[in-house]
Amino acid sequence: MNPVPYLWRVLSRALVKKSHVWQQASSLRDPDLWDCTVSTAGHLCVADFDCVELANNYGSPLLVVNYQRLLKDIGQMMGAMRQAPEGSKVLYSYKTNCIPALLQVLHENGLGAEVISPYELWVAHKLNVPGDKLVYNGVDKSDESLRLAVTMDVLAVNVDHREEVQRIVQAAKDVGRRARVGVRLGLSNSSQFGLSVDSGEAMEVCREIIAHEKWLDLCCVHFSVTSNAKDSWIHRINAEKALAFISCLQQELDIQIEYLDIGGGYGVPTTKNMSGVEYGLYRTFGCLPKPADPLMFQAIDLFIGEIVAAVQVSCMELGLKIPKLLIEPGRFITSRSEILLAKVLSVKTKPNGTRFLITDAGRLSMTFPAEFEYHELFVANRMQATMNTNYQVMGRICTSADWLAKNRLLPEAQPGDIIAVMDAGAYFSSYSSTFAFPRPAIVGVDNGKISVLRSPESFEYLTELDHF
Ligand SMILES: *Cc1c(COP(=O)(O)O)cnc(C)c1O
């Protein structure tokens, strides 16, 4: 007998067993965390709508937006930002979940927009987002989109690389209006994004911007550092670095910066990003990591409060006027309020005991983030049943790469059951694809009301642009 595969199996089994213990002890088994309830029939409900009926009536898979949860999360963030200096703004990161009907709700509730592509800028324009609540980031800004941004007088076009400066100058000349610009700082030396501070590149680009003062108004310094942070420390450390840079700008170029834009990354207590080791163990041994623990996440009030305090202290030390803050949360605003419902198509038990749960949603079409984030799963029509069965939860694309969750402990399931994937409101629809199947509908549920935010794609829609 070859000892290597044997040891591998033993190790794998031990790790999966450990994972099952974690899954069973998970504090995420409470649907109330997502403002969901359980009916007397044991079904998961959102705003009094039975998820099983929703999937039956609107088709599966189905994305369901829970407005009650959404408004709560918006309210928490807006409340937290009351600690920030007057004139500070919350701009939703469009790439997190670019569904126009959803964005409309966010704008109605006071959020602005942070866009990273000509398409997203166009959507913001369509939705009548005022320039004063709009920041244009990203690495590929077309000339046409730059002209639109200048015309809309966006709060800042943030320069990612130096080649953009001349192009923004040209757009401003073409439109005949001064452009408000910012610089994106790459605060770590290996950063792919932004301008390096340590090498002097960021300062040189600022000099170039000032040299074009007639057309460019340097008003913003931006950085974005992480995603799903549990607490404020990465944001604080980087805000301090950015303020030190602003202080240099003031001393060397005699300019004051109106906005400090600290990007996204505010964590959601009901998901977590896998660490490098967790990801490795998951991919190698199928050991699903420990679930997120909501108690480990700093409340957003405290998170923002600590950043604001750190900014005040730094400004005092550096002798700077306190800038207004821009924040660009994506995940925090929409993650928790959206649920993906998927149907169980088949349960296959293999001779070696492996159980495959074949569903109509996997990572290649719908659930890409679940590959590197922990997401809670429920069997929506069996909420009270004990979790006693180990499943390889798979999608419907014909490749073993289309999984949803490996070694997931769930109540025993049958064809027709509905699986609820929680926290589907961040980067699910953005990453969704038309791999062999059209993309599903998105509906919104409110107290007693249901609305369609996006119709399901049809076969005709998928071939509309083909020439044949
Ligand atoms: C993606 C992104 C965000 C949003 O990040 P979250 O982690 O979802 O909050 C904000 N700003 C920029 C520049 C981004 O690229």
Side-chain angles (χ1 to χ4, degrees):
M1 188 174 75
N2 187 336
V4 177
Y6 173 73
L7 282 174
W8 189 275
R9 267 205 313 278
V10 169
L11 187 57
S12 174
R13 219 171 282 152
L15 285 166
V16 168
K17 209 166 159 189
K18 185 76 197 166
S19 170
H20 285 169
V21 173
W22 288 330
Q23 290 179 50
Q24 251 160 342
S26 170
S27 21
L28 299 179
R29 298 306 297 171
D30 177 7
D32 191 40
L33 288 166
W34 295 268
D35 272 68
C36 294
T37 52
V38 177
S39 69
T40 42
H43 289 193
L44 182 67
C45 296
V46 191
D48 297 331
F49 286 96
D50 186 321
C51 285
V52 178
E53 281 172 32
L54 285 175
N56 287 338
N57 294 342
Y58 290 88
S60 170
L62 181 71
L63 283 160
V64 182
V65 176
N66 178 4
Y67 283 116
Q68 186 177 315
R69 183 71 247 178
L70 180 65
L71 294 179
K72 223 182 241 186
D73 290 334
I74 294 172
Q76 281 193 22
M77 185 55 99
M78 296 306 247
M81 280 297 279
R82 278 200 277 275
Q83 305 167 88
E86 182 84 28
S88 296
K89 292 169 196 193
V90 182
L91 314 173
Y92 180 70
S93 144
Y94 268 28
K95 78 169 187 297
T96 307
N97 204 359
C98 198
I99 312 297
L102 176 71
L103 299 173
Q104 226 158 14
V105 175
L106 304 184
H107 296 320
E108 278 161 15
N109 283 278
L111 277 78
E114 182 268 338
V115 300
I116 58 140
S117 73
Y119 165 66
E120 289 185 356
L121 180 68
W122 178 86
V123 173
H125 182 58
K126 279 258 170 206
L127 295 177
N128 295 316
V129 177
D132 221 38
K133 284 186 162 186
L134 180 48
V135 161
Y136 190 11
N137 286 322
V139 301
D140 187 5
K141 309 176 182 89
S142 67
D143 291 335
E144 193 185 350
S145 71
L146 286 173
R147 287 192 291 271
L148 176 60
V150 179
T151 306
M152 290 175 78
D153 192 20
V154 302
L155 212 147
V157 177
N158 283 330
V159 173
D160 174 79
H161 45 273
R162 60 170 66 194
E163 288 76 9
E164 288 181 330
V165 176
Q166 285 304 329
R167 295 180 45 234
I168 303 171
V169 171
Q170 190 56 49
K173 286 181 180 169
D174 291 347
V175 172
R177 176 183 222 158
R178 203 162 172 238
R180 296 195 269 181
V181 298
V183 284
R184 176 160 183 170
L185 303 181
L187 289 168
S188 97
N189 282 329
S190 58
S191 180
Q192 171 195 349
F193 299 104
L195 304 157
S196 150
V197 175
D198 291 354
S199 72
E201 183 189 34
M203 186 57 80
E204 271 171 48
V205 170
C206 287
R207 275 183 213 283
E208 195 181 334
I209 292 171
I210 301 294
H212 292 95
E213 221 167 0
K214 179 159 186 270
W215 294 108
L216 305 179
D217 170 14
L218 179 58
C219 66
C220 176
V221 166
H222 166 56
F223 68 84
S224 194
V225 279
T226 187
S227 199
N228 216 1
K230 288 190 173 73
D231 57 49
S232 72
W233 82 267
I234 301 179
H235 287 80
R236 278 186 282 130
I237 288 175
N238 285 284
E240 284 160 12
K241 288 189 196 167
L243 286 164
F245 179 76
I246 290 176
S247 166
C248 290
L249 278 181
Q250 189 167 318
Q251 280 163 22
E252 293 186 27
L253 305 176
D254 193 28
I255 49 160
Q256 294 225 346
I257 295 295
E258 186 179 359
Y259 293 104
L260 174 62
D261 175 355
I262 57 180
Y266 313 93
V268 178
T270 44
T271 64
K272 76 167 193 188
N273 290 33
M274 295 179 196
S275 69
V277 171
E278 285 175 331
Y279 184 72
L281 290 176
Y282 188 40
R283 292 302 297 264
T284 315
F285 297 104
C287 169
L288 191 65
K290 209 168 180 170
D293 178 356
L295 293 177
M296 295 297 287
F297 280 76
Q298 201 169 34
I300 199 67
D301 231 20
L302 199 59
F303 198 124
I304 299 288
E306 286 183 358
I307 296 173
V308 171
V311 167
Q312 282 165 345
V313 170
S314 273
C315 286
M316 206 143 74
E317 285 168 1
L318 295 162
L320 281 178
K321 184 167 176 279
I322 297 172
K324 297 169 194 166
L325 297 184
L326 302 178
I327 64 164
E328 308 169 342
R331 185 190 298 276
F332 184 88
I333 302 293
T334 51
S335 175
R336 256 191 296 187
S337 57
E338 203 163 317
I339 300 170
L340 169 67
L341 302 178
K343 188 177 273 175
V344 176
L345 305 169
S346 172
V347 183
K348 291 185 181 175
T349 305
K350 293 288 145 180
N352 71 354
T354 303
R355 282 193 192 80
F356 289 105
L357 200 64
I358 314 295
T359 77
D360 54 14
R363 81 190 243 278
L364 294 186
S365 63
M366 285 304 302
T367 67
F368 178 59
E371 177 185 330
F372 47 86
E373 298 169 1
Y374 184 93
H375 284 261
E376 198 52 48
L377 254 56
F378 294 110
V379 178
N381 53 314
R382 242 184 266 285
M383 291 296 286
Q384 270 126 6
T386 356
M387 301 201 297
N388 54 9
T389 316
N390 183 41
Y391 287 111
Q392 312 304 322
V393 187
M394 310 302 291
R396 57 180 167 177
I397 315 287
C398 289
T399 155
S400 59
D402 192 29
W403 77 80
L404 199 168
K406 290 169 185 275
N407 291 308
R408 181 73 228 200
L409 201 59
L410 290 172
E412 200 170 347
Q414 293 164 8
D417 282 349
I418 300 294
I419 304 290
V421 184
M422 309 311 280
D423 279 280
Y427 306 105
F428 273 58
S429 61
S430 319
Y431 274 119
S432 66
S433 79
T434 55
F435 195 154
F437 291 86
R439 290 180 300 180
I442 306 174
V443 299
V445 290
D446 210 343
N447 265 338
K449 284 199 309 276
I450 183 154
S451 53
V452 177
L453 307 189
R454 179 177 279 178
S455 300
E457 292 174 344
S458 63
F459 300 160
E460 291 76 15
Y461 173 84
L462 290 188
T463 52
E464 214 158 78
L465 300 175
D466 286 291
H467 301 263
F468 65 101

